[in-house]
Short mmCIF file of all heavy atoms in Angstrom, two decimals:
data_model
loop_
_atom_site.label_atom_id
_atom_site.label_comp_id
_atom_site.label_asym_id
_atom_site.label_seq_id
_atom_site.Cartn_x
_atom_site.Cartn_y
_atom_site.Cartn_z
N MET A 1 -8.21 -35.56 -14.42
CA MET A 1 -9.06 -34.42 -14.07
C MET A 1 -8.68 -33.87 -12.70
O MET A 1 -8.61 -32.67 -12.49
CB MET A 1 -10.55 -34.84 -14.05
CG MET A 1 -11.18 -34.85 -15.42
SD MET A 1 -10.92 -33.36 -16.41
CE MET A 1 -12.50 -32.55 -16.34
N SER A 2 -8.42 -34.77 -11.75
CA SER A 2 -8.11 -34.29 -10.40
C SER A 2 -6.79 -33.54 -10.39
O SER A 2 -6.57 -32.68 -9.56
CB SER A 2 -8.10 -35.45 -9.41
OG SER A 2 -6.94 -36.24 -9.61
N ASP A 3 -5.87 -33.88 -11.36
CA ASP A 3 -4.60 -33.16 -11.43
C ASP A 3 -4.85 -31.68 -11.73
O ASP A 3 -4.25 -30.81 -11.13
CB ASP A 3 -3.72 -33.76 -12.54
CG ASP A 3 -3.01 -35.01 -12.05
OD1 ASP A 3 -3.16 -35.32 -10.85
OD2 ASP A 3 -2.33 -35.64 -12.84
N LEU A 4 -5.76 -31.45 -12.68
CA LEU A 4 -6.08 -30.07 -13.04
C LEU A 4 -6.64 -29.30 -11.85
O LEU A 4 -6.24 -28.18 -11.57
CB LEU A 4 -7.11 -30.06 -14.17
CG LEU A 4 -6.54 -29.94 -15.59
CD1 LEU A 4 -7.67 -29.93 -16.60
CD2 LEU A 4 -5.72 -28.66 -15.71
N ALA A 5 -7.57 -29.93 -11.14
CA ALA A 5 -8.18 -29.28 -9.98
C ALA A 5 -7.12 -29.00 -8.93
O ALA A 5 -7.10 -27.94 -8.31
CB ALA A 5 -9.29 -30.15 -9.41
N ASP A 6 -6.21 -29.97 -8.72
CA ASP A 6 -5.18 -29.78 -7.70
C ASP A 6 -4.28 -28.60 -8.06
O ASP A 6 -3.94 -27.80 -7.20
CB ASP A 6 -4.32 -31.05 -7.58
CG ASP A 6 -5.07 -32.12 -6.79
OD1 ASP A 6 -6.12 -31.80 -6.22
OD2 ASP A 6 -4.58 -33.26 -6.76
N SER A 7 -3.89 -28.51 -9.33
CA SER A 7 -2.98 -27.43 -9.69
C SER A 7 -3.68 -26.07 -9.61
O SER A 7 -3.07 -25.07 -9.30
CB SER A 7 -2.38 -27.67 -11.07
OG SER A 7 -3.35 -27.52 -12.05
N ALA A 8 -4.99 -26.06 -9.89
CA ALA A 8 -5.73 -24.81 -9.75
C ALA A 8 -5.77 -24.40 -8.28
O ALA A 8 -5.56 -23.22 -7.95
CB ALA A 8 -7.14 -24.97 -10.29
N ASP A 9 -5.99 -25.36 -7.40
CA ASP A 9 -5.98 -25.05 -5.97
C ASP A 9 -4.62 -24.52 -5.54
O ASP A 9 -4.52 -23.55 -4.79
CB ASP A 9 -6.30 -26.32 -5.16
CG ASP A 9 -7.81 -26.57 -5.10
OD1 ASP A 9 -8.56 -25.69 -5.57
OD2 ASP A 9 -8.20 -27.63 -4.60
N ALA A 10 -3.56 -25.18 -6.02
CA ALA A 10 -2.21 -24.76 -5.65
C ALA A 10 -1.95 -23.35 -6.16
O ALA A 10 -1.32 -22.54 -5.48
CB ALA A 10 -1.19 -25.73 -6.22
N ARG A 11 -2.42 -23.07 -7.35
CA ARG A 11 -2.24 -21.75 -7.95
C ARG A 11 -2.92 -20.66 -7.12
O ARG A 11 -2.35 -19.61 -6.85
CB ARG A 11 -2.80 -21.80 -9.38
CG ARG A 11 -2.60 -20.59 -10.21
CD ARG A 11 -1.12 -20.28 -10.41
NE ARG A 11 -0.89 -18.83 -10.33
CZ ARG A 11 -1.17 -18.00 -11.32
NH1 ARG A 11 -1.61 -18.45 -12.46
NH2 ARG A 11 -1.01 -16.71 -11.18
N ILE A 12 -4.14 -20.96 -6.70
CA ILE A 12 -4.88 -19.98 -5.90
C ILE A 12 -4.17 -19.75 -4.57
O ILE A 12 -4.03 -18.63 -4.11
CB ILE A 12 -6.33 -20.46 -5.68
CG1 ILE A 12 -7.11 -20.38 -7.00
CG2 ILE A 12 -7.01 -19.66 -4.59
CD1 ILE A 12 -8.41 -21.17 -7.01
N LYS A 13 -3.67 -20.85 -3.98
CA LYS A 13 -2.98 -20.72 -2.70
C LYS A 13 -1.72 -19.87 -2.86
O LYS A 13 -1.42 -19.03 -2.01
CB LYS A 13 -2.63 -22.11 -2.15
CG LYS A 13 -2.21 -22.06 -0.70
CD LYS A 13 -1.80 -23.41 -0.17
CE LYS A 13 -1.29 -23.29 1.27
NZ LYS A 13 -0.40 -22.15 1.51
N LEU A 14 -1.00 -20.06 -3.96
CA LEU A 14 0.20 -19.26 -4.23
C LEU A 14 -0.16 -17.79 -4.33
O LEU A 14 0.54 -16.92 -3.80
CB LEU A 14 0.88 -19.72 -5.51
CG LEU A 14 1.84 -20.90 -5.39
CD1 LEU A 14 2.38 -21.26 -6.76
CD2 LEU A 14 2.97 -20.58 -4.43
N ASP A 15 -1.26 -17.50 -5.03
CA ASP A 15 -1.69 -16.10 -5.18
C ASP A 15 -2.00 -15.48 -3.83
O ASP A 15 -1.63 -14.35 -3.55
CB ASP A 15 -2.93 -16.03 -6.08
CG ASP A 15 -2.57 -16.22 -7.54
OD1 ASP A 15 -1.37 -16.18 -7.86
OD2 ASP A 15 -3.48 -16.40 -8.36
N ILE A 16 -2.69 -16.24 -2.99
CA ILE A 16 -3.05 -15.73 -1.65
C ILE A 16 -1.79 -15.51 -0.82
O ILE A 16 -1.62 -14.47 -0.19
CB ILE A 16 -4.02 -16.70 -0.95
CG1 ILE A 16 -5.36 -16.71 -1.69
CG2 ILE A 16 -4.20 -16.31 0.51
CD1 ILE A 16 -6.30 -17.81 -1.24
N ASP A 17 -0.86 -16.49 -0.86
CA ASP A 17 0.40 -16.34 -0.13
C ASP A 17 1.14 -15.09 -0.57
O ASP A 17 1.65 -14.32 0.24
CB ASP A 17 1.29 -17.56 -0.35
CG ASP A 17 0.82 -18.76 0.46
OD1 ASP A 17 -0.07 -18.57 1.32
OD2 ASP A 17 1.33 -19.85 0.22
N TYR A 18 1.17 -14.87 -1.89
CA TYR A 18 1.88 -13.73 -2.45
C TYR A 18 1.24 -12.42 -1.98
O TYR A 18 1.93 -11.50 -1.57
CB TYR A 18 1.84 -13.83 -3.97
CG TYR A 18 2.62 -12.75 -4.66
CD1 TYR A 18 4.02 -12.79 -4.68
CD2 TYR A 18 1.97 -11.72 -5.31
CE1 TYR A 18 4.73 -11.80 -5.31
CE2 TYR A 18 2.69 -10.72 -5.94
CZ TYR A 18 4.06 -10.77 -5.94
OH TYR A 18 4.76 -9.78 -6.57
N ALA A 19 -0.10 -12.38 -2.01
CA ALA A 19 -0.81 -11.18 -1.59
C ALA A 19 -0.56 -10.90 -0.10
O ALA A 19 -0.33 -9.76 0.30
CB ALA A 19 -2.30 -11.33 -1.85
N LEU A 20 -0.58 -11.95 0.70
CA LEU A 20 -0.35 -11.79 2.14
C LEU A 20 1.06 -11.27 2.40
O LEU A 20 1.26 -10.40 3.24
CB LEU A 20 -0.56 -13.13 2.86
CG LEU A 20 -2.02 -13.53 3.07
CD1 LEU A 20 -2.10 -14.91 3.69
CD2 LEU A 20 -2.75 -12.51 3.95
N LYS A 21 2.03 -11.82 1.68
CA LYS A 21 3.41 -11.38 1.86
C LYS A 21 3.55 -9.91 1.50
O LYS A 21 4.22 -9.15 2.19
CB LYS A 21 4.35 -12.22 0.99
CG LYS A 21 5.10 -13.26 1.81
CD LYS A 21 6.01 -14.10 0.93
CE LYS A 21 6.08 -15.52 1.46
NZ LYS A 21 6.02 -16.51 0.40
N ASN A 22 2.92 -9.49 0.41
CA ASN A 22 2.98 -8.10 0.00
C ASN A 22 2.36 -7.20 1.05
O ASN A 22 2.86 -6.11 1.32
CB ASN A 22 2.24 -7.91 -1.33
CG ASN A 22 3.17 -8.12 -2.50
OD1 ASN A 22 4.38 -8.19 -2.32
ND2 ASN A 22 2.61 -8.24 -3.68
N MET A 23 1.26 -7.63 1.63
CA MET A 23 0.60 -6.84 2.65
C MET A 23 1.50 -6.67 3.87
O MET A 23 1.54 -5.61 4.48
CB MET A 23 -0.71 -7.51 3.08
CG MET A 23 -1.86 -7.23 2.12
SD MET A 23 -3.26 -8.29 2.47
CE MET A 23 -3.61 -7.83 4.19
N GLN A 24 2.22 -7.73 4.21
CA GLN A 24 3.09 -7.65 5.39
C GLN A 24 4.29 -6.76 5.11
O GLN A 24 4.79 -6.08 5.99
CB GLN A 24 3.57 -9.06 5.78
CG GLN A 24 2.52 -9.83 6.55
CD GLN A 24 2.70 -11.32 6.45
OE1 GLN A 24 3.72 -11.79 5.94
NE2 GLN A 24 1.72 -12.08 6.92
N ARG A 25 4.76 -6.79 3.84
CA ARG A 25 5.95 -6.02 3.51
C ARG A 25 5.65 -4.52 3.46
O ARG A 25 6.47 -3.71 3.84
CB ARG A 25 6.50 -6.47 2.16
CG ARG A 25 7.98 -6.16 2.02
CD ARG A 25 8.55 -6.85 0.81
NE ARG A 25 7.76 -6.59 -0.37
CZ ARG A 25 7.65 -7.44 -1.39
NH1 ARG A 25 8.26 -8.60 -1.36
NH2 ARG A 25 6.92 -7.13 -2.44
N ALA A 26 4.45 -4.15 3.02
CA ALA A 26 4.10 -2.74 2.89
C ALA A 26 2.80 -2.44 3.61
O ALA A 26 1.77 -2.23 2.99
CB ALA A 26 3.98 -2.37 1.42
N PRO A 27 2.85 -2.43 4.94
CA PRO A 27 1.63 -2.13 5.69
C PRO A 27 1.19 -0.69 5.44
O PRO A 27 2.02 0.21 5.41
CB PRO A 27 2.02 -2.33 7.15
CG PRO A 27 3.50 -2.24 7.18
CD PRO A 27 4.00 -2.60 5.80
N GLU A 28 -0.10 -0.50 5.23
CA GLU A 28 -0.60 0.84 4.92
C GLU A 28 -0.74 1.65 6.19
O GLU A 28 -1.16 1.14 7.21
CB GLU A 28 -1.97 0.72 4.22
CG GLU A 28 -2.07 1.64 3.03
CD GLU A 28 -3.45 1.57 2.42
OE1 GLU A 28 -4.09 0.52 2.50
OE2 GLU A 28 -3.89 2.59 1.88
N HIS A 29 -0.39 2.92 6.11
CA HIS A 29 -0.53 3.85 7.22
C HIS A 29 0.24 3.39 8.45
O HIS A 29 -0.18 3.60 9.58
CB HIS A 29 -2.01 4.04 7.57
CG HIS A 29 -2.79 4.61 6.44
ND1 HIS A 29 -2.57 5.86 5.93
CD2 HIS A 29 -3.77 4.07 5.69
CE1 HIS A 29 -3.41 6.08 4.93
NE2 HIS A 29 -4.13 5.01 4.75
N GLU A 30 1.36 2.74 8.22
CA GLU A 30 2.21 2.32 9.34
C GLU A 30 3.39 3.29 9.41
O GLU A 30 4.14 3.42 8.45
CB GLU A 30 2.69 0.89 9.08
CG GLU A 30 3.19 0.16 10.31
CD GLU A 30 2.12 -0.01 11.38
OE1 GLU A 30 0.94 -0.26 11.01
OE2 GLU A 30 2.45 0.10 12.55
N PRO A 31 3.57 3.99 10.53
CA PRO A 31 4.67 4.95 10.60
C PRO A 31 6.02 4.26 10.42
O PRO A 31 6.30 3.26 11.08
CB PRO A 31 4.55 5.52 12.03
CG PRO A 31 3.22 5.10 12.54
CD PRO A 31 2.82 3.89 11.77
N ASP A 32 6.83 4.76 9.50
CA ASP A 32 8.15 4.16 9.30
C ASP A 32 9.24 5.23 9.38
O ASP A 32 10.31 5.09 8.81
CB ASP A 32 8.20 3.41 7.97
CG ASP A 32 8.19 4.35 6.78
OD1 ASP A 32 7.83 5.53 6.96
OD2 ASP A 32 8.54 3.91 5.68
N MET A 33 8.93 6.33 10.10
CA MET A 33 9.89 7.42 10.31
C MET A 33 10.14 8.21 9.03
O MET A 33 11.10 8.94 8.94
CB MET A 33 11.23 6.89 10.85
CG MET A 33 11.11 6.00 12.07
SD MET A 33 10.79 6.91 13.59
CE MET A 33 12.44 7.57 13.91
N HIS A 34 9.28 8.01 8.02
CA HIS A 34 9.39 8.79 6.79
C HIS A 34 8.02 9.31 6.40
O HIS A 34 7.03 8.59 6.52
CB HIS A 34 9.97 7.95 5.65
CG HIS A 34 11.43 7.68 5.80
ND1 HIS A 34 11.90 6.58 6.46
CD2 HIS A 34 12.51 8.38 5.40
CE1 HIS A 34 13.23 6.62 6.45
NE2 HIS A 34 13.63 7.70 5.82
N CYS A 35 8.00 10.55 5.92
CA CYS A 35 6.76 11.15 5.46
C CYS A 35 6.13 10.27 4.37
O CYS A 35 6.81 9.85 3.44
CB CYS A 35 7.05 12.55 4.92
SG CYS A 35 5.61 13.35 4.21
N LEU A 36 4.82 9.99 4.52
CA LEU A 36 4.14 9.14 3.54
C LEU A 36 4.08 9.80 2.17
O LEU A 36 3.93 9.12 1.16
CB LEU A 36 2.72 8.85 4.02
CG LEU A 36 2.53 7.73 5.03
CD1 LEU A 36 1.07 7.61 5.40
CD2 LEU A 36 3.05 6.41 4.50
N PHE A 37 4.19 11.13 2.15
CA PHE A 37 4.02 11.82 0.88
C PHE A 37 5.35 12.12 0.20
O PHE A 37 5.54 11.81 -0.97
CB PHE A 37 3.23 13.12 1.10
CG PHE A 37 2.83 13.77 -0.19
CD1 PHE A 37 1.85 13.21 -0.99
CD2 PHE A 37 3.44 14.93 -0.61
CE1 PHE A 37 1.50 13.79 -2.18
CE2 PHE A 37 3.09 15.53 -1.80
CZ PHE A 37 2.12 14.95 -2.59
N CYS A 38 6.30 12.71 0.92
CA CYS A 38 7.54 13.15 0.27
C CYS A 38 8.76 12.34 0.72
O CYS A 38 9.86 12.57 0.23
CB CYS A 38 7.77 14.63 0.54
SG CYS A 38 8.26 14.99 2.22
N ASP A 39 8.55 11.40 1.66
CA ASP A 39 9.63 10.50 2.09
C ASP A 39 10.70 11.19 2.94
O ASP A 39 11.77 10.64 3.17
CB ASP A 39 10.28 9.81 0.89
CG ASP A 39 10.56 8.35 1.20
OD1 ASP A 39 9.83 7.77 2.01
OD2 ASP A 39 11.51 7.79 0.64
N GLU A 40 10.40 12.39 3.39
CA GLU A 40 11.29 13.11 4.30
C GLU A 40 11.30 12.39 5.65
O GLU A 40 10.30 11.82 6.07
CB GLU A 40 10.76 14.54 4.47
CG GLU A 40 11.69 15.48 5.15
CD GLU A 40 12.67 16.13 4.18
OE1 GLU A 40 12.39 16.13 2.97
OE2 GLU A 40 13.71 16.60 4.65
N ALA A 41 12.45 12.41 6.34
CA ALA A 41 12.52 11.79 7.66
C ALA A 41 11.63 12.56 8.64
O ALA A 41 11.65 13.79 8.66
CB ALA A 41 13.95 11.78 8.15
N VAL A 42 10.84 11.83 9.42
CA VAL A 42 9.97 12.47 10.42
C VAL A 42 10.19 11.81 11.77
O VAL A 42 10.83 10.75 11.87
CB VAL A 42 8.48 12.38 10.02
CG1 VAL A 42 8.21 13.15 8.74
CG2 VAL A 42 8.04 10.94 9.89
N GLY A 43 9.64 12.41 12.81
CA GLY A 43 9.77 11.86 14.15
C GLY A 43 9.04 10.55 14.30
O GLY A 43 8.16 10.22 13.51
N HIS A 44 9.39 9.82 15.32
CA HIS A 44 8.78 8.51 15.54
C HIS A 44 7.27 8.63 15.73
O HIS A 44 6.81 9.50 16.46
CB HIS A 44 9.41 7.86 16.78
CG HIS A 44 8.88 6.49 17.04
ND1 HIS A 44 9.19 5.42 16.21
CD2 HIS A 44 8.03 6.02 17.97
CE1 HIS A 44 8.57 4.35 16.68
NE2 HIS A 44 7.87 4.69 17.73
N GLY A 45 6.53 7.75 15.05
CA GLY A 45 5.08 7.74 15.19
C GLY A 45 4.37 8.75 14.32
O GLY A 45 3.15 8.78 14.29
N LYS A 46 5.14 9.59 13.59
CA LYS A 46 4.52 10.58 12.72
C LYS A 46 4.43 10.04 11.30
O LYS A 46 5.32 9.33 10.84
CB LYS A 46 5.32 11.88 12.73
CG LYS A 46 5.15 12.64 14.02
CD LYS A 46 5.70 14.04 13.87
CE LYS A 46 5.42 14.83 15.13
NZ LYS A 46 6.26 16.03 15.22
N LEU A 47 3.33 10.41 10.61
CA LEU A 47 3.12 9.93 9.24
C LEU A 47 3.58 10.96 8.21
O LEU A 47 3.91 10.60 7.09
CB LEU A 47 1.65 9.61 9.01
CG LEU A 47 1.08 8.41 9.79
CD1 LEU A 47 -0.41 8.29 9.53
CD2 LEU A 47 1.78 7.14 9.38
N PHE A 48 3.60 12.24 8.61
CA PHE A 48 3.90 13.30 7.64
C PHE A 48 4.86 14.31 8.26
O PHE A 48 4.85 14.51 9.47
CB PHE A 48 2.62 14.01 7.21
CG PHE A 48 1.61 13.07 6.61
CD1 PHE A 48 0.56 12.59 7.37
CD2 PHE A 48 1.74 12.66 5.30
CE1 PHE A 48 -0.36 11.70 6.82
CE2 PHE A 48 0.82 11.78 4.75
CZ PHE A 48 -0.22 11.30 5.52
N CYS A 49 5.65 14.96 7.40
CA CYS A 49 6.61 15.94 7.90
C CYS A 49 5.93 17.27 8.18
O CYS A 49 6.39 18.03 9.03
CB CYS A 49 7.78 16.10 6.93
SG CYS A 49 7.31 16.75 5.32
N ASN A 50 4.86 17.58 7.49
CA ASN A 50 4.12 18.82 7.78
C ASN A 50 2.68 18.69 7.29
O ASN A 50 2.31 17.70 6.66
CB ASN A 50 4.83 20.04 7.17
CG ASN A 50 4.94 19.92 5.66
OD1 ASN A 50 4.05 19.39 5.00
ND2 ASN A 50 6.02 20.40 5.11
N ILE A 51 1.90 19.72 7.59
CA ILE A 51 0.47 19.68 7.29
C ILE A 51 0.21 19.66 5.79
O ILE A 51 -0.74 19.05 5.32
CB ILE A 51 -0.26 20.85 8.00
CG1 ILE A 51 -1.77 20.69 7.97
CG2 ILE A 51 0.16 22.20 7.41
CD1 ILE A 51 -2.29 19.92 9.18
N GLU A 52 1.09 20.34 5.02
CA GLU A 52 0.89 20.37 3.56
C GLU A 52 1.00 18.96 2.99
O GLU A 52 0.23 18.57 2.11
CB GLU A 52 1.93 21.27 2.88
CG GLU A 52 1.56 22.73 2.87
CD GLU A 52 2.15 23.45 4.06
OE1 GLU A 52 3.27 23.07 4.46
OE2 GLU A 52 1.51 24.36 4.61
N CYS A 53 1.99 18.21 3.47
CA CYS A 53 2.16 16.84 2.98
C CYS A 53 0.93 16.00 3.32
O CYS A 53 0.49 15.19 2.52
CB CYS A 53 3.42 16.21 3.57
SG CYS A 53 4.88 16.61 2.61
N ARG A 54 0.40 16.20 4.53
CA ARG A 54 -0.78 15.43 4.92
C ARG A 54 -1.95 15.77 4.01
O ARG A 54 -2.66 14.88 3.52
CB ARG A 54 -1.16 15.71 6.38
CG ARG A 54 -2.01 14.61 6.97
CD ARG A 54 -2.63 15.03 8.25
NE ARG A 54 -3.62 16.09 8.06
CZ ARG A 54 -4.29 16.67 9.04
NH1 ARG A 54 -4.05 16.32 10.28
NH2 ARG A 54 -5.18 17.60 8.79
N ASN A 55 -2.14 17.06 3.75
CA ASN A 55 -3.24 17.48 2.87
C ASN A 55 -3.06 16.92 1.46
O ASN A 55 -3.99 16.40 0.85
CB ASN A 55 -3.32 19.01 2.81
CG ASN A 55 -3.85 19.58 4.12
OD1 ASN A 55 -4.43 18.86 4.92
ND2 ASN A 55 -3.61 20.85 4.34
N ASP A 56 -1.82 17.04 0.94
CA ASP A 56 -1.56 16.55 -0.42
C ASP A 56 -1.75 15.04 -0.50
O ASP A 56 -2.28 14.52 -1.47
CB ASP A 56 -0.14 16.92 -0.84
CG ASP A 56 -0.03 18.40 -1.19
OD1 ASP A 56 -1.09 19.05 -1.30
OD2 ASP A 56 1.10 18.89 -1.35
N TYR A 57 -1.31 14.35 0.55
CA TYR A 57 -1.45 12.90 0.56
C TYR A 57 -2.92 12.52 0.53
O TYR A 57 -3.33 11.63 -0.20
CB TYR A 57 -0.78 12.33 1.81
CG TYR A 57 -0.87 10.83 1.91
CD1 TYR A 57 0.03 10.02 1.22
CD2 TYR A 57 -1.84 10.23 2.70
CE1 TYR A 57 -0.04 8.65 1.31
CE2 TYR A 57 -1.92 8.85 2.79
CZ TYR A 57 -1.02 8.06 2.10
OH TYR A 57 -1.10 6.70 2.19
N GLN A 58 -3.73 13.22 1.34
CA GLN A 58 -5.15 12.90 1.38
C GLN A 58 -5.81 13.20 0.04
O GLN A 58 -6.68 12.47 -0.41
CB GLN A 58 -5.82 13.68 2.51
CG GLN A 58 -5.56 13.01 3.85
CD GLN A 58 -6.01 13.85 5.04
OE1 GLN A 58 -6.37 15.01 4.88
NE2 GLN A 58 -5.98 13.25 6.21
N LYS A 59 -5.36 14.28 -0.62
CA LYS A 59 -5.87 14.60 -1.95
C LYS A 59 -5.52 13.49 -2.92
O LYS A 59 -6.33 13.07 -3.75
CB LYS A 59 -5.28 15.92 -2.45
CG LYS A 59 -6.16 17.11 -2.17
CD LYS A 59 -5.54 18.36 -2.77
CE LYS A 59 -5.32 19.42 -1.71
NZ LYS A 59 -4.38 20.46 -2.10
N LEU A 60 -4.27 13.01 -2.82
CA LEU A 60 -3.80 11.93 -3.70
C LEU A 60 -4.62 10.67 -3.48
O LEU A 60 -5.05 10.02 -4.43
CB LEU A 60 -2.32 11.66 -3.42
CG LEU A 60 -1.66 10.60 -4.29
CD1 LEU A 60 -1.56 11.07 -5.73
CD2 LEU A 60 -0.28 10.28 -3.75
N GLN A 61 -4.84 10.33 -2.20
CA GLN A 61 -5.63 9.14 -1.89
C GLN A 61 -7.04 9.25 -2.45
O GLN A 61 -7.58 8.30 -2.99
CB GLN A 61 -5.69 8.92 -0.37
CG GLN A 61 -4.36 8.54 0.25
CD GLN A 61 -3.78 7.29 -0.36
OE1 GLN A 61 -4.41 6.25 -0.39
NE2 GLN A 61 -2.56 7.39 -0.87
N ALA A 62 -7.63 10.45 -2.34
CA ALA A 62 -8.97 10.67 -2.87
C ALA A 62 -8.97 10.50 -4.38
O ALA A 62 -9.88 9.92 -4.96
CB ALA A 62 -9.47 12.06 -2.48
N ALA A 63 -7.90 11.00 -5.03
CA ALA A 63 -7.78 10.87 -6.48
C ALA A 63 -7.66 9.41 -6.89
O ALA A 63 -8.26 8.96 -7.86
CB ALA A 63 -6.58 11.67 -6.98
N ILE A 64 -6.86 8.66 -6.11
CA ILE A 64 -6.69 7.23 -6.40
C ILE A 64 -8.03 6.52 -6.27
O ILE A 64 -8.40 5.69 -7.10
CB ILE A 64 -5.65 6.61 -5.44
CG1 ILE A 64 -4.26 7.16 -5.77
CG2 ILE A 64 -5.67 5.08 -5.54
CD1 ILE A 64 -3.20 6.78 -4.75
N LYS A 65 -8.78 6.85 -5.22
CA LYS A 65 -10.08 6.22 -5.00
C LYS A 65 -11.02 6.52 -6.17
O LYS A 65 -11.70 5.64 -6.67
CB LYS A 65 -10.69 6.74 -3.69
CG LYS A 65 -10.89 5.63 -2.67
CD LYS A 65 -11.47 6.18 -1.39
CE LYS A 65 -10.84 5.50 -0.20
NZ LYS A 65 -11.19 6.17 1.06
N ARG A 66 -11.02 7.80 -6.60
CA ARG A 66 -11.88 8.18 -7.72
C ARG A 66 -11.50 7.41 -8.98
O ARG A 66 -12.33 7.10 -9.81
CB ARG A 66 -11.74 9.68 -8.00
CG ARG A 66 -12.65 10.53 -7.16
CD ARG A 66 -12.85 11.90 -7.78
NE ARG A 66 -11.59 12.57 -8.00
CZ ARG A 66 -10.95 13.30 -7.10
NH1 ARG A 66 -11.45 13.42 -5.90
NH2 ARG A 66 -9.80 13.89 -7.36
N ASN A 67 -10.22 7.09 -9.07
CA ASN A 67 -9.69 6.42 -10.25
C ASN A 67 -9.87 4.90 -10.15
O ASN A 67 -9.37 4.16 -10.99
CB ASN A 67 -8.21 6.73 -10.40
CG ASN A 67 -7.93 7.39 -11.72
OD1 ASN A 67 -8.80 7.46 -12.58
ND2 ASN A 67 -6.72 7.84 -11.89
N GLY A 68 -10.51 4.42 -9.12
CA GLY A 68 -10.71 3.00 -8.94
C GLY A 68 -9.45 2.27 -8.53
O GLY A 68 -9.26 1.10 -8.84
N GLY A 69 -8.57 2.94 -7.80
CA GLY A 69 -7.37 2.29 -7.27
C GLY A 69 -6.17 2.41 -8.17
O GLY A 69 -5.09 1.96 -7.83
N ASN A 70 -6.34 3.04 -9.35
CA ASN A 70 -5.21 3.19 -10.26
C ASN A 70 -4.79 4.65 -10.34
O ASN A 70 -5.64 5.53 -10.37
CB ASN A 70 -5.57 2.69 -11.66
CG ASN A 70 -5.90 1.23 -11.65
OD1 ASN A 70 -5.14 0.43 -11.12
ND2 ASN A 70 -7.04 0.89 -12.21
N ILE A 71 -3.50 4.88 -10.37
CA ILE A 71 -3.01 6.24 -10.55
C ILE A 71 -1.79 6.19 -11.45
O ILE A 71 -0.98 5.28 -11.34
CB ILE A 71 -2.69 6.93 -9.21
CG1 ILE A 71 -2.41 8.41 -9.42
CG2 ILE A 71 -1.55 6.24 -8.49
CD1 ILE A 71 -3.39 9.30 -8.71
N SER A 72 -1.72 7.13 -12.38
CA SER A 72 -0.54 7.19 -13.24
C SER A 72 0.18 8.50 -12.99
O SER A 72 -0.45 9.55 -12.92
CB SER A 72 -0.95 7.07 -14.70
OG SER A 72 -2.00 7.96 -14.97
N TYR A 73 1.47 8.43 -12.85
CA TYR A 73 2.25 9.61 -12.54
C TYR A 73 2.74 10.29 -13.81
O TYR A 73 3.00 9.64 -14.77
CB TYR A 73 3.45 9.24 -11.66
CG TYR A 73 3.01 8.84 -10.28
CD1 TYR A 73 2.89 7.51 -9.95
CD2 TYR A 73 2.72 9.81 -9.32
CE1 TYR A 73 2.50 7.13 -8.68
CE2 TYR A 73 2.33 9.45 -8.05
CZ TYR A 73 2.21 8.11 -7.73
OH TYR A 73 1.81 7.74 -6.50
ZN1 LIG B 101 6.50 15.38 3.62
#
C-alpha cells in the first residue's frame, strides 16, 4: 500500500516540477524584444511593435479569458 502512495506522491511532484519548468521557460508579459502579438522585433523593454498590436493582443486575452483559458485558431 505504501508503494502506491509513494508513487502517487512522486507523480504529483513530477507534475509540479514540469509546471514550474514551463513557467520559467515562458514567462508571461516578459519583454523578449519581440512583439507579443505579431512577433515583430521591437525595442528593448517594449512588449508591442505598435498600438494596434497592443489593442489586438488585449482583445485576444479577453477572448481567451471568456473562453475559460482555451482558444482555437
Ligand atoms: Zn506587433
Side-chain angles (χ1 to χ4, degrees):
M1 278 311 254
S2 73
D3 279 356
L4 265 181
D6 283 351
S7 70
D9 278 353
R11 185 61 220 282
I12 290 164
K13 193 183 176 316
L14 276 178
D15 284 349
I16 293 169
D17 284 350
Y18 184 74
L20 283 176
K21 257 179 214 138
N22 271 348
M23 279 168 59
Q24 280 156 10
R25 203 169 51 210
E28 224 184 330
H29 299 296
E30 199 61 38
D32 71 343
M33 309 283 284
H34 287 90
C35 176
L36 278 179
F37 189 72
C38 72
D39 221 28
E40 191 86 20
V42 296
H44 183 70
K46 287 193 176 163
L47 292 176
F48 302 99
C49 63
N50 61 35
I51 192 90
E52 276 93 34
C53 274
R54 201 193 67 182
N55 288 343
D56 285 349
Y57 180 82
Q58 281 171 351
K59 265 184 237 162
L60 182 68
Q61 292 302 305
I64 291 171
K65 242 179 219 170
R66 275 200 304 274
N67 239 351
N70 298 309
I71 189 118
S72 49
Y73 291 98

